[in-house]
């Protein structure tokens, strides 16, 4: 183990915290206009940072492509993809009904979107499952209670960070509707994080969860790309009508994710202990 690997392995929770802070700084300082190309200015360095850190922690084998577990990941993720399919269908149907015109550079936008959401999947899964969850496992993964605690805390962090970034950018909305939107988004994204954490521990394959994550987000935004050219998103709105729509959508997501959480819980109960992650174990 080289000196850099020794340092990040010695202090996993500190490493995870510093990585998250750096990611926040990049997101807040690199400004975008909501278009895919502008958002890539954020996503490229974030992905390089995250995958570089994963390699520093556990070596290149952690990001090397492997087919092992991909089929399992996609079979388990069918339900997870349903919200994206529903949102894509409803957005496209509403735009067609309103006689909105497709973007003139539609093909280019879709190709840019595929690239962007591929990077997004690897950044978010690399950061939250490949760095933060692994740090929590290194600390708490010796016992079954600790394993569940690590997965739950990792999921909550993943969910809340979506809201925290918006608060940094637009200010904290302490109204009832604002707090409700923050709560349901944190819960829905947290449930997804819990599910992805369980899948990752089962397959030990970052590619599967990164691809599924990126595909889901692409489906959620494909309608906007086709008719507005933008992939910007806001999880908390001050407009009452938009706020109610956001609450409804995330509540539906929560209901759809319940079977995923149940299945992930069964899966976690079947894992052998300890589960210390690749900070402490030699993942194969």
């Amino acid at each position: 183990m080289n000196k850099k690997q020794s340092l990040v392995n010695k202090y996993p929770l500190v490493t995870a915290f510093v990585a998250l802070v750096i990611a926040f700084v990049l997101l807040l300082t690199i400004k975008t206009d909501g278009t895919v190309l502008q958002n890539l200015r954020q996503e490229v360095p974030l992905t390089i940072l995250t995958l570089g850190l994963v390699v520093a922690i556990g070596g290149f084998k952690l990001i090397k492509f492997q087919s092992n577990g991909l089929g399992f990941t996609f079979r388990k993720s069918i339900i997870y993809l349903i919200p994206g399919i529903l949102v894509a269908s409803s957005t496209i149907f509403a735009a067609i009904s309103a006689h909105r015109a497709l973007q003139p550079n539609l093909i280019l936008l879709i190709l840019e979107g595929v690239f962007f959401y591929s990077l997004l999947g690897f950044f978010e899964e690399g950061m939250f499952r490949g760095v933060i969850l692994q740090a929590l496992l290194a600390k708490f993964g010796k016992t079954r209670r600790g394993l569940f605690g690590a997965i739950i805390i990792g999921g909550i962090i993943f969910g809340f960070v979506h809201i925290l970034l918006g608060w940094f950018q637009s200010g904290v909305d302490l109204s009832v509707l604002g707090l409700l939107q923050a709560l349901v988004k944190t819960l829905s994204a947290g449930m997804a994080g819990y599910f992805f954490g369980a899948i990752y521990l089962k397959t030990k394959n970052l590619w599967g969860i990164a691809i599924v994550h990126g595909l889901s987000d692409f489906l959620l935004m494909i309608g906007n790309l086709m008719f507005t050219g933008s992939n910007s998103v806001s999880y908390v709105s001050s407009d009452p009508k938009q706020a109610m729509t956001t609450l409804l959508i995330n509540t539906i997501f929560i209901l759809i994710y319940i079977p995923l959480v149940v299945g992930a819980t069964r899966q976690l109960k079947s894992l052998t202990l300890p589960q210390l992650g690749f900070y402490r174990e030699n993942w194969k």
Side-chain angles (χ1 to χ4, degrees):
M1 183 180 291
N2 60 40
K3 187 175 181 180
K4 186 188 295 183
Q5 285 179 310
S6 176
L7 183 64
V8 297
N9 277 269
K10 187 174 182 180
Y11 305 104
L13 292 177
V14 174
T15 299
F17 176 76
V18 171
L20 193 56
V21 169
I22 294 173
F24 258 87
V25 170
L26 289 174
L27 285 166
L28 293 172
T29 56
I30 302 176
K31 303 300 182 181
T32 73
D33 59 6
T35 61
V36 180
L37 280 179
Q38 284 290 307
N39 287 339
L40 279 169
R41 295 175 61 236
Q42 294 178 333
E43 210 60 44
V44 170
L46 286 168
T47 305
I48 293 172
L49 164 72
T50 301
L51 296 184
L53 185 54
V54 170
V55 170
I57 295 168
F60 280 98
K61 65 181 181 294
L62 296 176
I63 64 171
K64 181 181 178 181
F65 177 77
Q66 55 177 316
S67 59
N68 179 49
L70 289 182
F72 174 84
T73 300
F74 277 92
R75 287 195 303 273
K76 292 292 185 179
S77 301
I78 292 174
I79 293 176
Y80 179 75
L81 294 173
I82 289 176
I85 295 171
L86 293 176
V87 170
S89 300
S90 62
T91 302
I92 293 171
F93 177 78
I96 292 174
S97 300
H99 304 290
R100 294 177 184 168
L102 290 168
Q103 291 293 296
N105 56 339
L106 175 62
I107 301 300
L108 180 60
L109 281 172
I110 290 177
L111 292 176
E112 291 171 354
V114 169
F115 182 55
F116 173 82
Y117 287 108
S118 297
L119 292 181
L120 179 68
F122 278 99
F123 158 56
E124 293 200 356
E125 291 309 313
M127 177 63 71
F128 291 98
R129 257 58 70 184
V131 177
I132 293 174
L133 174 60
Q134 301 301 322
L136 292 167
L137 289 171
K139 185 71 175 179
F140 304 112
K142 293 181 180 180
T143 66
R144 188 72 59 188
R145 179 177 295 181
L147 168 63
F148 274 99
I151 295 286
I152 292 170
I153 293 171
I156 292 172
I157 293 173
F158 175 64
F160 184 62
V161 160
H162 287 76
I163 298 300
L164 190 60
L165 180 61
W167 283 351
F168 270 105
Q169 293 173 328
S170 306
V172 180
D173 185 350
L174 295 178
S175 68
V176 173
L177 276 179
L179 292 176
L180 280 175
Q181 289 173 89
L183 177 62
V184 294
K185 177 57 186 179
T186 298
L187 181 56
S188 65
M191 291 169 75
Y194 181 92
F195 165 73
F196 280 131
I199 292 291
Y200 192 35
L201 290 184
K202 177 69 174 180
T203 64
K204 296 180 170 62
N205 187 346
L206 184 65
W207 281 81
I209 56 175
I211 292 171
V212 168
H213 188 150
L215 175 59
S216 174
D217 284 356
F218 177 74
L219 289 171
L220 288 169
M221 295 304 298
I222 183 64
N224 282 347
L225 285 175
M226 291 172 62
F227 294 96
T228 71
S230 171
N231 69 336
S232 62
V233 61
S234 176
Y235 301 114
V236 177
S237 174
S238 58
D239 176 72
K241 184 177 179 180
Q242 181 60 44
M244 294 305 296
T245 300
T246 300
L247 284 171
L248 176 61
I249 290 173
N250 279 294
T251 300
I252 292 173
F253 283 16
I254 290 169
L255 295 175
I256 292 174
Y257 290 162
I258 288 174
L260 295 178
V261 170
V262 173
T265 300
R266 293 197 189 102
Q267 191 172 291
L268 290 170
K269 288 180 179 179
S270 69
L271 293 177
T272 57
L273 295 175
Q275 288 287 328
L276 301 178
F278 54 69
Y279 274 96
R280 303 287 185 243
E281 298 174 351
N282 182 24
W283 278 30
K284 298 181 180 179

